[in-house]
Structures are given as structure tokens and as C-alpha cells.
Amino acid sequence: MSFSHSLKERANKVWEDGYNHPFVQGLGQGTLALESFKFYLVQDYLYLLQYAKVFAAAVMKSDTEQLMAGFSRSQDYILNGEMELHRAYMKQFGITEQEAAQAKSSLFNRSYTANMLHYGLTGGLAELLAAVFPCAWTYADYGARLKADFAAQYENNPYKSWIDMYASDEFAQSFAWFYDALDGLVEHMSPAQRENIAEIFISSVEFEYLFWDMAYKQQMSY
């Protein structure tokens, strides 16, 4: 197993705790409280704006055309793919773009994005990629599993389009290049350096868990 593919197993406990969180399970069951989902939508909208900035930093740090193109495509998918779904949902639930833009990020949201931006601005590409990787990978994994695990009630699920997006081949392909890119970036690193990359990855999976929990509780701060 390559280094990049082994990271999911390294983060297995919090990864599975995230999938089994009542927010995520509520999405699959279609029973999640609407107010929790609306809170999540606004916070994730704000999150994605910062997430996209990390990919801009990655383009600046890239020293090959291949990496520049990959990070550019990922940023475009965030801004013109994921954000479109959020805007559509916000419109459906009566949240205007102005309201979303004027909303405050929660403490949990700010902590997560500050961590990613830290590595985006001060770290190398391996650190940066390890920090952003869990967002895409957990969403793809959770989306596919929710679609399979709750197939019986899926067609009537109010969150069906959310699950469809993250369970799609298109979404999986949007970050499929991350694996080889990260493996290449750590190829000549020492064991200690690789361990640091793994710890950055695991921390971002932990931040993902906290984001679900924050949204479920509609919690702006501690």
C-alpha cells in the first residue's frame, strides 16, 4: 500500500466516528434537522472560500506544470462545482448569498481553515496537500457509503442531491490525482518527515469530525 493510501487507515478511528456521527447519518436517513443543515450550508460556504485559497497558494508553490494544472483544476471545481450546489441549496432554503457572505465563521470553522492556510502559506506542498486531502476524501467516502447504506429510502431523501454530488465519479476524479502527487512529494523524505505529514493529515480528519459536530449542534463557539 502506498503512503497516501495508508493514511485513511492511520486516521481510521476518527474517520469512522465521522461517518457514524448523527449529522452524517441523518443525511443518509433524510432525518437531519433542517436548521442543522442550513447552519452547515452557511458555514461550509464560508469554509470553501478559504479552502479554495489554499489551492491558490499551492499553484504558487508548484514547480511543475502538472502540479500547477492539478491544483488549478481543483480550485475551479471547488468554486464552480461544490459552490454551485451550496448556492442552489441556500436558495431553496431561503438563504440569500448576501446573508451567507455576511455570516460569521464559527470558532471551529476558523480553526480548521486557519490550520490549512498555515500550511498553505508556510509549509511545503506535501504539508499543504496533507492538510486539504481529508476534506475531499472523507466526503467521497461518506457520500458513497450513505448512498449504499440507505438505498431503500434514498429517492425520497431531501438531501439526495448533496449525497449524489459527493458519491459521484466526477467528484472522486476531481481529487484522484492527490494520491500519486502526495506519494511523489514524500518519496525522498525521512521516516520522521513522513510521520509529520501523516499527523497533519490526521489532524484534518479530526477537524472534519468537529465540523460535523459543530453543524449538528449549530454551535458558533465552545
Side-chain angles (χ1 to χ4, degrees), residues 167-184:
S168 70
D169 289 339
E170 180 185 5
F171 183 74
Q173 286 303 310
S174 74
F175 71 94
W177 65 278
F178 283 11
Y179 300 97
D180 287 343
L182 185 58
D183 286 336

Side-chain angles (χ1 to χ4, degrees), residues 42-209:
V42 173
Q43 290 298 315
D44 204 42
Y45 175 85
L46 298 173
Y47 165 90
L48 287 173
L49 292 174
Q50 302 304 311
Y51 184 58
K53 291 179 182 179
V54 183
F55 287 86
V59 172
M60 293 290 292
K61 289 175 180 285
S62 296
D63 55 7
T64 69
E65 182 180 350
Q66 183 180 18
L67 285 171
M68 290 178 69
F71 285 117
S72 295
R73 286 194 302 269
S74 292
Q75 186 189 46
D76 180 69
Y77 189 83
I78 294 162
L79 294 172
N80 298 304
E82 288 187 80
M83 294 291 276
E84 280 302 310
L85 177 65
H86 280 66
R87 282 188 279 266
Y89 261 127
M90 288 190 294
K91 183 177 181 180
Q92 178 183 339
F93 296 139
I95 304 168
T96 68
E97 288 190 39
Q98 183 179 12
E99 287 175 315
Q102 293 176 346
K104 290 182 63 176
S105 293
S106 74
L107 174 67
F108 307 95
N109 196 348
R110 296 196 309 274
S111 298
Y112 188 5
T113 55
N115 184 69
M116 288 192 300
L117 287 165
H118 165 73
Y119 290 113
L121 295 172
T122 68
L125 276 179
E127 288 83 1
L128 183 157
L129 192 49
V132 300
F133 204 156
C135 179
W137 196 355
T138 56
Y139 271 57
D141 180 61
Y142 293 0
R145 290 164 68 181
L146 290 175
K147 191 169 184 176
D149 290 348
F150 298 100
Q153 62 260 53
Y154 190 62
E155 290 305 317
N156 296 318
N157 188 328
Y159 306 116
K160 179 179 182 295
S161 61
W162 186 96
I163 298 170
D164 280 340
M165 177 171 186
Y166 293 112
S168 70
D169 289 339
E170 180 185 5
F171 183 74
Q173 286 303 310
S174 74
F175 71 94
W177 65 278
F178 283 11
Y179 300 97
D180 287 343
L182 185 58
D183 286 336
L185 289 165
V186 304
E187 184 177 359
H188 301 296
M189 286 186 173
S190 68
Q193 290 172 317
R194 288 187 176 211
E195 182 63 23
N196 180 57
I197 299 302
E199 288 175 0
I200 293 170
F201 180 93
I202 294 167
S203 291
S204 282
V205 181
E206 292 170 339
F207 275 120
E208 285 293 327
Y209 176 89

